[in-house]
Amino acid sequence: MDKYSLGFRVRDYECDLQGIVNNANYQHFLEHARHEYIKTLGITFSELHDLGVDFVVARIEMAFKTPLKSGDDFIVTVSVKKEGIRWVFQEDILRLPDHKIVVRAKVDAVSVVNGKLTDYKPLDEIFNKHLS
């Protein structure tokens, strides 16, 4: 599957006193893009939860390259691969229109079924259909 991408615009309240996006808000952008990507696979996190399956973030690595400012347009790209029991999401935030890299992130997610860390195979099947 090609990279999924989702567009955004920076809102004033997402900026700090320096006039740039507060670092914590980048995680919100990344998470929203992952959730929207998952929806394109035909599932939602709430549906998984109702089945006793929670797909949770285990680790996040973020490298900040260029700040965003109020009114900036940007996209978040998402790609995913499987490594052991982890699903590794590579996400980039790119400023528009120049596509300058703002943030590079690696997000490791795992599945917890009924409170127990496990390699939930039906999730593999859903992702693999779209990765081929």
Side-chain angles (χ1 to χ4, degrees):
M1 174 180 174
D2 293 331
K3 286 185 179 181
Y4 172 80
S5 66
L6 184 65
F8 293 84
R9 175 169 288 150
V10 175
R11 297 163 292 194
D12 292 340
Y13 69 85
E14 295 168 320
C15 298
D16 58 23
L17 290 174
Q18 297 169 313
I20 59 176
V21 170
N22 179 277
N23 67 84
N25 286 315
Y26 291 103
Q27 285 194 48
H28 293 279
F29 304 147
L30 296 169
E31 183 166 358
H32 185 67
R34 282 193 313 280
H35 282 233
E36 292 299 312
Y37 166 67
I38 295 293
K39 285 181 188 176
T40 69
L41 303 180
I43 57 172
T44 66
F45 286 103
S46 61
E47 289 169 338
L48 287 171
H49 178 75
D50 290 345
L51 296 171
V53 179
D54 292 307
F55 195 47
V56 298
V57 170
R59 179 183 175 138
I60 297 177
E61 296 175 23
M62 295 173 66
F64 298 90
K65 305 292 186 178
T66 303
L68 288 171
K69 298 177 180 173
S70 182
D72 281 350
D73 290 318
F74 64 98
I75 59 170
V76 178
T77 63
V78 181
S79 61
V80 64
K81 66 181 177 178
K82 183 82 183 275
E83 290 182 0
I85 66 167
R86 296 175 298 131
W87 284 97
V88 179
F89 292 85
Q90 178 62 49
E91 295 185 79
D92 291 326
I93 297 176
L94 306 167
R95 185 178 64 198
L96 297 176
D98 63 0
H99 286 83
K100 187 162 185 165
I101 295 173
V102 174
V103 170
R104 282 229 142 117
K106 178 183 167 190
V107 181
D108 294 351
V110 295
S111 53
V112 176
V113 179
N114 298 317
K116 184 178 178 186
L117 177 65
T118 187
D119 193 4
Y120 184 64
K121 294 300 181 189
L123 197 56
D124 292 359
E125 294 168 14
I126 291 167
F127 277 110
N128 287 331
K129 260 194 310 192
H130 296 275
L131 295 175
S132 312

